[in-house]
Amino acid sequence: MSERVLVIGSGGREHAICWKLSQSPKVSQIYALPGSYGIEQVDKCQNLDAKALDPKDFQAIAKWSKENEISLVVVGPEDPLALGLGDVLQMEGIACFGPGKQGAQIEADKKWAKDFMLRHGIPTARYESFTDTDKAKAFIKSAPYPALVVKAAGLAAGKGVVVAANVEEACQAVDEILGQLKYGQAGATLVVEELLEGEEISVLAFTDGKSVRAMLPAQDHKRLGNGDSGPNTGGMGAYCPCPLISQPALELVQKAVLERAVQGLAKERILYQGVLYAGLMLTRDGPRVLEFNCRFGDPETQVILPLLETDLFDVMLACCSGKLDKLTLQWRSGVSAVGVILASAGYPETSTKGCVISGLPADNTPTQLIFHSGLAVNKDKQALTNGGRVLIAIALDAGLKEAAAKATKLAASISFSGSGAQYRTDIAQKAFKIATASAPGLSYKDSGVDIDAGDALVQRIKPLSRGTQRPGVLGGLGGFGGLFRLNDLSYKEPIIAEATQGVGAKIKLALEHELYENVGYDLFALSANDLLEFGAEPVAFLDYIACGKLNVPLAAQLVKGMADGCRDARCALVGGETAEMPSLYGPGQHDMAGYCVGIVEQSRVLPRFDLYQPGDLLIGLPSSGLHCAGFNEILTRLQELKVNLKDLSPVDGGEDGLSLAHSLATPTRLYVQQLLSHLQNGDEIKSVAHVTHGLLNDVQRLLPEGFETTLDFGAVPVPKIFGWLAGRLKLSAGTLLERHNCGIGMLLVLPHTSQLWRTSLPGAKVLGVLQRRAKTTGAAVQVRNFTEQLQRVAAPFGGLGERELPEELKKLSSKDAVTASRADCFENAAGRRLTRVPGNYKDPILILGTDGVGTKLKIAQQTNRNSSVGIDLVAMCVNDILCNGAEPLSFSSYYACGQWQEELAKKVHSGVLEGSRQANSSFIDSHCAALPLLYEPQVYDLAGFALGIAERSGILPRLSDIQPGDVLIGLPSSGVHSNGFSLVHAVLKRVGLGLNDKAPFSEKTLGEELLVPTKIYVQALADLLSQPNHGIKALAHITGGGLSENIPRVLRKDLAVRLDANEFQLPPVFAWLAAAGNISSAELQRTYNCGLGLILVVSAADADRVLKELRYPQRASLVGEVIARKDPKRPQVVLQNFEAVLAKTQKMVSMRRKRVAVLISGTGSNLQALIDATRDSAQGVHADIVLVISNKPDVLGLERAHRAGIPSMVIAHKDFKTRELYDDELTRNLKAARVDLACLAGFMRILSAPFVREWCGRLINIHPSLLPKFPGLHVQRQALEAGEKESGCTVHFVDEGVDTGSIIVQAAVPILPGDDESALTQRIHKAEHWAFPRALALLAGGTVRLNAEGRTTLPS
């Protein structure tokens, strides 16, 4: 350890070189001339004062090196090499890592370099060189290839290259570089090159002049902004290794580029020792050299050297001594390095010096590095910006995506005071995109969800549904909701009852033993039996089936069991939902929920506690066995005991060959046939209780305050299955009474004189007699003779034990219930909710809908953000029934989980309640169950059931009325909504992003973006649908199946629709999903809503009227039309311009988000609209409000900014003597906040001409009239006095006139009879809240701009 090294330079490249050399055990001391603060912090490093040793005095450097016994001089920048420092050192016998002046020509003289490549057959772009501007421009205009790359032949600090977009730009570059000598004498000779297409990468190599050793390939990012936007720079970041170049291409570069170059230099007698840097374009014809450099690249060096394992000092010394062939370079395997440059404000044109840097890590670590490019410290040791490129933040990780994410996060944690830092957030994204593009495109089916299988199931079960038809049923399966006509029944004052049920872990038993129909029957029986508690007749049933992978024959058998139950009860199976969720359920796993609607005459609603009398009889009807209670614990314990359920049953049926599984899986007894007629007569049955929560608990439900009873099993036999269960599991008698039906499936209360139980109810037993409670203490239910009866049947199986069973069914505490939101909802005597049919309906149709939330739940569970998925649940259901023209009445839910966590359940439930409120629906009930056999501890599933009502004449869709020429009006979605999340999970897995990572398309995390709730459209359409002639022919909720499969649900086969993607906003999340998952446009349209959550079909004559109601408050737009479908093989949905819109949105997402300031003077209602829009990524406003300025203190707008967490300030105009001074202060603060665009939102100040010119094209205003009419003040008064038919608002660029700037967006508002200024102004405010965000979106996204003539134009 005795070698001393001198490094020439002071930038990030030299910092990295010093850092790497310091790791060599052979190096004792490193000097840096002039060095930097960062370099001096590196072990073994010392800066040399430029005043003591002039970096430009090469003789002095040589002398100093000799005097200080320097073993090696490493030259970082190109200038000293081009000026001959290497030659001076070589002449003095000092080893110099870097070529002499002749070798440095390969970078310093672009013309010489191009000629050199031509001489030695090195593949490069075609070119010509010029010293005359006219000749150069003439060549550009006439060249046989796109001659659009214009380069200064000399050194221009990495900035003397212009890649022009067209001939005009190229000629302009010639004028600047050669004509105006923008880069001095470096541009006195000009090279004009062919524009090559492909990806640009850097391959650096070590050479000793004879042999050459390539380093790992890297990719630099030259442009200032994301998406390669903005001006060229010295480099804004790099990553290594770069996977864009294949191994064969690298081998070609080694032979055809690097070796030929070194051999060519040797042939021309040029000694070249150091780094040879090849800047390459990967074209379709192979790699082509764009340029050679004679030194390490910056910032490539900073990401290459951390991956080098070989001692850098050894490599450099070998280059200088001609012994490189003796070395083999070793690189870290399985590691990527990504570096993000932080540049000062104004770079690359200028640099902002002296800004305080905060957030710098204390030290470099093995996985995180900071190298300084232009950083200084003040006397207080504060880090300050001291140049254009200030520092580079580097992260190392096993995965390139992870390294990129960490480097970007590290950059984001560092801030510069004043105007802030500039940095890109897309370093290395090209590698991801190209890797993605070359990977197979993902599809919904690839993610485990097969839409075709779902469609096949619907076709398979349609006959089952038809077999359950009864009076009242309208339509069939396949629509958005199930329909039932109440007037087809004979009820005079019908009351609607609802019941939601699940089968618990019994489904696991059924699946393992192929008893599918049994458990399907269970689901219906449980739901229908529950309705009997109200005295109601079951009339319509819906099912929800969830699974990991849909097995169509299996699911069809489940539904067959439900259909069998429906037929037995004369109830119609009117619809259902099958949810395939591979990330929530494992292979073969299922769960089910059922929902049944019943009708009861108002005078027959049970229970009738008011009719109870002492002596009334408590009657029990026999169960068929265990029914569905407690199977989770039963199956768990039997598995622990290794009981083989395929063995012959030890109880009833075993002698006939039935297995134990068959005995346990005996379907729940259905009591509808036995009881319905007696309930409808209404003479004797006072109350009914379906035994599902354990016999004791359900008896208790029948006892109002003041009554008690004693259950006597003296004459009531206990079925053998309960004896076997008690004996095998060693259960206590008490736990069976609390958790199981014990042989009693239904309870009735009858008058003491009733003989009904004897004459009409086979198997019925008197369990007890109701009595007045003598005392308030003690249990209201006593039991006799049960233990003895149970012991008798348990004795053959080992007798009773002391084990207890846990509670499986759960109930949220009463304080978490919600007050019914509708007047037609009421509670019966037992506290259960029912609904009156609203009196304004003459021929009411009930509309039932069910849905789930899909694997969106997984995102909620993984991020612990569970409070909004309940809104999704309600939205998915009520939006469906809305499509039938329904007014939502009520909502019920099903919640099943692996481990009961009450606080988690409450959060989920709070979302359901909020969704019900938004849907104007009464919340009825939630069926909750803890099922560890079906779900992991932190996992839950949700199903929802919505009930709505419509007048028969208002039922949608009106298929026969839809004709070619009808138009489509679209209501925007809020994002992904709740479909296609299995594909979302697959995309996340492919790109390696986590839910807590920042979304690539917004400022929120991916988890926050993906959990934005599904939009509920009830309130948006309520007023319109309530109008007798609303003009809507059909509504299509865009759910599973996307645009391609949901719109055809409301079309005849002879019709199709043509949509125009230019007419609605494609939310950026879909553009990102398409790019990240390489998802085809067709697959995207078949899976997602693509920005349209609901589509209305209306006649062309009604379109304006409907749009007037929906455009501004709902952001509705006319998105397409109905057309004739002449070829039945052609698709029914044609989406035009989608590819172009998708590409445009993807480009926008890759760009830096615009920083916006809003200037206000008052309430800031337009400010609020802008805040809401910029924070709603679905609206596509690629901007963030970073500053609010008011010229008045204490206004509401400032409070709005504070609530939104947006920095705000008051700049009072009264504090400034002139308008110009005030505006100067505005500009100073806007620039300090790095504002790109400014919006005037009620800013009551006339701005000065200099200010307007300063912000020309970046300053917009909203004015409350349809300009050019009525500029200035009191515009509504002027419009009313002029007798105008309409007014509105205008968003325009601000120029030096009063409201004379070029128009961006206008929104018209009709002037109605009787309007005064106040009424008209209020309606115009709604239009403003639509127009201003829309204009900002157009400007921030680059869709519009102000041209040189002051006109609003689309970019070319």
Side-chain angles (χ1 to χ4, degrees), residues 488-557:
D488 283 346
L489 306 180
S490 56
Y491 293 91
K492 295 178 181 178
E493 295 181 288
I495 299 296
I496 303 166
E498 303 164 71
T500 305
Q501 274 286 358
V503 295
K506 191 175 184 180
I507 193 171
K508 183 175 176 65
L509 175 71
L511 293 171
E512 289 176 351
H513 297 274
E514 300 182 354
L515 301 171
Y516 313 124
E517 293 179 24
N518 285 26
V519 77
Y521 196 97
D522 277 305
L523 184 65
F524 174 76
L526 288 167
S527 305
N529 288 343
D530 261 10
L531 291 179
L532 298 176
E533 293 192 2
F534 299 102
E537 173 190 7
V539 296
F541 179 76
L542 295 175
D543 69 85
Y544 169 86
I545 301 173
C547 59
K549 180 68 177 175
L550 179 58
N551 179 322
V552 173
L554 185 158
Q557 289 183 72

Side-chain angles (χ1 to χ4, degrees), residues 474 483 485 840-847 881-887 948-959 961 1021 1024-1035:
L474 301 178
L483 280 63
R485 186 185 184 210
N840 57 305
Y841 288 93
K842 305 303 180 188
D843 190 358
I845 307 297
L846 296 184
I847 302 170
I881 65 172
L882 192 65
C883 291
N884 287 119
E887 173 193 0
I949 192 167
E951 194 68 54
R952 186 177 189 184
S953 61
I955 289 293
L956 298 177
R958 288 158 37 200
L959 291 179
D961 291 348
L1021 293 176
L1024 193 60
L1025 287 172
S1026 66
Q1027 300 170 17
N1029 299 308
H1030 50 63
I1032 298 174
K1033 297 182 179 184
L1035 294 169

Side-chain angles (χ1 to χ4, degrees), residues 712-788:
D712 191 341
F713 279 81
V716 180
V718 176
K720 290 181 182 179
I721 188 67
F722 292 99
W724 177 85
L725 192 65
R728 203 70 180 84
L729 302 186
K730 296 302 175 189
L731 303 176
S732 70
T735 201
L736 276 179
L737 282 168
E738 289 178 349
R739 303 289 180 242
H740 285 273
N741 66 56
C742 301
I744 305 298
M746 190 70 82
L747 298 163
L748 313 176
V749 173
L750 301 177
H752 73 279
T753 57
S754 175
Q755 294 299 307
L756 181 66
W757 66 277
R758 291 181 188 275
T759 59
S760 303
L761 301 175
K765 299 289 184 180
V766 176
L767 288 176
V769 177
L770 271 61
Q771 301 293 344
R772 294 283 184 191
R773 264 190 107 174
K775 52 185 179 180
T776 56
T777 58
V781 183
Q782 302 291 329
V783 183
R784 292 178 188 162
N785 298 315
F786 177 73
T787 302
E788 293 79 0

Side-chain angles (χ1 to χ4, degrees), residues 221-236:
H221 294 64
K222 288 290 187 187
R223 297 277 187 173
L224 178 67
N226 284 352
D228 285 340
S229 62
N232 265 338
T233 69
M236 292 300 292

Side-chain angles (χ1 to χ4, degrees), residues 443-446 449-456 979-980 983 1038-1046 1079-1090 1133 1135 1138:
S443 70
Y444 206 16
K445 191 171 183 177
D446 294 333
V449 180
D450 190 345
I451 296 174
D452 293 331
D455 294 339
N979 297 101
L983 183 51
I1038 311 303
T1039 59
L1043 292 168
S1044 304
E1045 299 199 2
N1046 282 288
I1079 302 170
S1080 70
S1081 293
E1083 187 68 21
L1084 207 67
Q1085 295 166 37
R1086 190 182 182 222
T1087 306
Y1088 297 111
N1089 63 61
C1090 298
V1133 178
L1135 181 51
F1138 186 73

